[in-house]
Amino acid sequence: MNVIRPNRLLSALIAEDEQSFFTSLSPFAAEKHTILHAAGLAATHVYFPSSGMISLLTVMNDGHSIETAAVGYDSAVGFNSALSGRNSNCESIVQVTMTSMRINRAQFCQAYDRSPGVRKMIHTANEMLVEQTQQTAACHALHEANSRFARWLLQTHDYAGQDELDITQDFVSEMMGVRRTTVSIIAASLQEAGLIRYSRGHVRILSRPGLEKLSCECYATLARDTVQMKPRAVPPGAPPQDRPKLQ
Ligand SMILES: [Zn+2]
């Protein structure tokens, strides 16, 4: 069971000022590998995760894709496509089973037009997304695959909130844009070093300090940017069934 935490964006909104926005939200859960937004289509909903992780993939014409950002309880998915109505070349796929609150596109756009608080929330999320995609582009181009794998494991571990992760080598190779054999060699070396235990699509994190030492600087940079946004408490006006479970 992944850890459920208040979504940071929703927690930063003042619930009393945004009653109609909160009442437009509905719970939504999705299993691993669920596609929230397919490439080439506009978003129908905006999702505010409270657990799990969603990978944003850039999809090429030949079908190959690579992860350009990951989103969890710290942000939202689909807001840019929902606002513009453009068909994005980005696919959003659930990487770690998620729970969330979601709002449909029409209600989200109305709230955005009406509320300075919602606009501020989305501008913050967009700034974080742009920074993350820029950092990820630099990371893919400049940093070694083993350091990038350590970064990716740390990020996934943060969002999942548990030591056991269901990760296949095929999926990691797609996320990182490297060959499956490269992932296999790196996973074996990390296991040899006592940082992880890997078997049949399951990874157990054994040493976060060891992974942090191996990771490139991008993990610390992205984690620092995320924690700069301080959340408020759980929205006091949210209906009881919508309130995230604090752990
Ligand atoms: Zn990096």
Side-chain angles (χ1 to χ4, degrees), residues 139 143 151 216 218:
C139 187
H143 294 151
R151 170 181 72 79
C216 55
C218 301

Side-chain angles (χ1 to χ4, degrees), residues 8 124 127-128 131 221-231:
R8 285 190 171 211
T124 301
E127 185 179 12
M128 288 167 56
E131 286 177 0
T221 300
L222 292 172
R224 182 192 64 215
D225 289 345
T226 298
V227 298
Q228 279 177 356
M229 195 180 73
K230 304 293 184 192

Side-chain angles (χ1 to χ4, degrees), residues 56-223:
L56 307 189
L57 309 181
T58 296
V59 182
M60 301 299 175
N61 289 337
D62 64 1
H64 280 95
S65 58
I66 189 166
E67 184 183 81
T68 46
V71 173
Y73 72 103
D74 54 348
S75 193
V77 177
F79 48 85
N80 279 330
S81 175
L83 286 173
S84 71
R86 290 179 62 242
N87 300 338
S88 170
N89 69 337
C90 182
E91 177 178 284
S92 304
I93 183 168
V94 177
Q95 180 77 259
V96 177
T97 299
M98 76 160 196
T99 56
S100 71
M101 301 301 287
R102 73 175 185 177
I103 181 171
N104 71 41
R105 183 183 165 222
Q107 289 175 314
F108 173 72
C109 290
Q110 286 169 10
Y112 183 88
D113 289 341
R114 184 185 61 238
S115 165
V118 171
R119 287 199 292 277
K120 184 168 185 283
M121 170 181 75
I122 295 305
H123 292 171
T124 301
N126 191 48
E127 185 179 12
M128 288 167 56
L129 180 63
V130 169
E131 286 177 0
Q132 187 180 174
T133 52
Q134 289 174 331
Q135 190 77 32
T136 303
C139 187
H140 284 315
L142 298 175
H143 294 151
E144 299 290 338
N146 60 342
S147 299
R148 288 197 284 135
F149 186 39
R151 170 181 72 79
W152 193 83
L153 284 173
L154 287 165
Q155 191 176 26
T156 306
H157 188 228
D158 286 343
Y159 284 135
Q162 61 180 18
D163 293 338
E164 297 281 351
L165 306 171
D166 289 333
I167 298 170
T168 65
Q169 292 189 2
D170 282 337
F171 210 61
V172 173
S173 77
E174 186 180 8
M175 294 301 100
M176 294 177 54
V178 298
R179 293 174 188 272
R180 189 185 179 284
T181 50
T182 302
V183 176
S184 183
I185 292 167
I186 294 171
S189 71
L190 266 58
Q191 183 160 261
E192 180 103 352
L195 305 185
I196 64 171
R197 187 183 305 134
Y198 185 87
S199 70
R200 294 182 195 160
H202 296 282
V203 171
R204 182 173 180 81
I205 304 294
L206 299 179
S207 171
R208 270 195 67 99
L211 288 173
E212 287 170 4
K213 199 170 174 184
L214 177 62
S215 171
C216 55
E217 69 197 62
C218 301
Y219 173 71
T221 300
L222 292 172

